Amino acid sequence: TEHFDVLYNIANARPYLWDNHLDAINNGFLEFGTSSVITFPTGAGKSTLVELKVMQAVKNGGKVVYIVPTHALESQVKDNMARIFGLESYEDLQIGREFTFMEEDDDMPVMVMTPERCSTLLTLHPDIFEGVSLVMIDEFHIIGSGDHRSLGAMLCLISLLSMVPEADYILV
């Protein structure tokens, strides 16, 4: 029933699957072993597909690394994950502590973090990435910006590809 509850929570917030969603699903997007780049325009349903892919990974016993470029987006994604998985909230989890010790949210099935935090954890606590079956990088277009965030995100991607090559990678 946990799988049904999560699916219900997603459908309750986003009750429609559009043609682009159905095309992605029919082409194996939700199957393990499928990595993708999603480039829909704003408002075209990227979040729906992302949430379904995250749900599928967690349902199958995997862990998810969800990398976002800013703390504001980190907070938004954590709130969405709390809603989807029926948690009381993610509000007790620490946000914005890139250069600190391992935190309680670093052992959740969905670990939401900035590239800076990801780099720190890759260096200090690489063991928390064991069992990761899905790596999600949101706002991936920042890779082309040439600033420190783009370099950090690229370093995370390269490091994770080396550390968990069997994981699915979704670049949004």
Side-chain angles (χ1 to χ4, degrees):
T1 62
E2 180 180 319
H3 174 67
F4 177 77
D5 292 342
V6 173
L7 191 54
Y8 175 81
N9 291 339
I10 292 171
N12 196 36
R14 294 183 173 87
Y16 302 105
L17 288 179
W18 300 335
D19 289 343
N20 56 343
H21 299 136
L22 294 173
D23 286 345
I25 292 167
N26 289 334
N27 283 302
F29 177 77
L30 296 179
E31 295 173 18
F32 182 71
T34 301
S35 294
S36 302
V37 175
I38 302 175
T39 60
F40 301 155
T42 299
K46 295 182 294 284
S47 295
T48 300
L49 282 175
V50 165
E51 290 173 1
L52 290 170
K53 186 76 172 182
V54 167
M55 177 202 66
Q56 188 73 0
V58 172
K59 174 190 148 293
N60 289 327
K63 289 171 38 177
V64 177
V65 173
Y66 200 127
I67 299 172
V68 295
T70 65
H71 292 301
L73 190 53
E74 180 183 17
S75 181
Q76 178 183 340
V77 170
K78 283 184 176 186
D79 286 346
N80 286 342
M81 292 299 116
R83 175 187 50 79
I84 290 167
F85 289 101
L87 303 173
E88 289 295 318
S89 73
Y90 257 98
E91 68 187 21
D92 293 332
L93 301 181
Q94 301 291 332
I95 298 176
R97 302 171 96 192
E98 284 98 3
F99 305 105
T100 59
F101 53 88
M102 202 166 131
E103 299 166 8
E104 60 190 45
D105 62 327
D106 293 328
D107 198 32
M108 298 291 288
V110 181
M111 299 177 290
V112 183
M113 62 188 74
T114 61
E116 294 86 358
R117 177 106 180 112
C118 182
S119 293
T120 300
L121 292 172
L122 283 164
T123 302
L124 300 177
H125 301 287
D127 54 308
I128 72 161
F129 296 96
E130 292 174 12
V132 168
S133 64
L134 176 61
V135 174
M136 204 58 110
I137 303 182
D138 205 347
E139 303 291 338
F140 189 70
H141 63 274
I142 69 163
I143 292 297
S145 68
D147 66 6
H148 76 283
R149 286 205 184 268
S150 67
L151 295 174
M154 185 57 75
L155 177 62
C156 290
L157 176 60
I158 291 168
S159 298
L160 288 167
L161 281 167
S162 174
M163 187 175 288
V164 285
E166 67 283 353
D168 290 351
Y169 289 80
I170 305 296
L171 310 177
V172 182

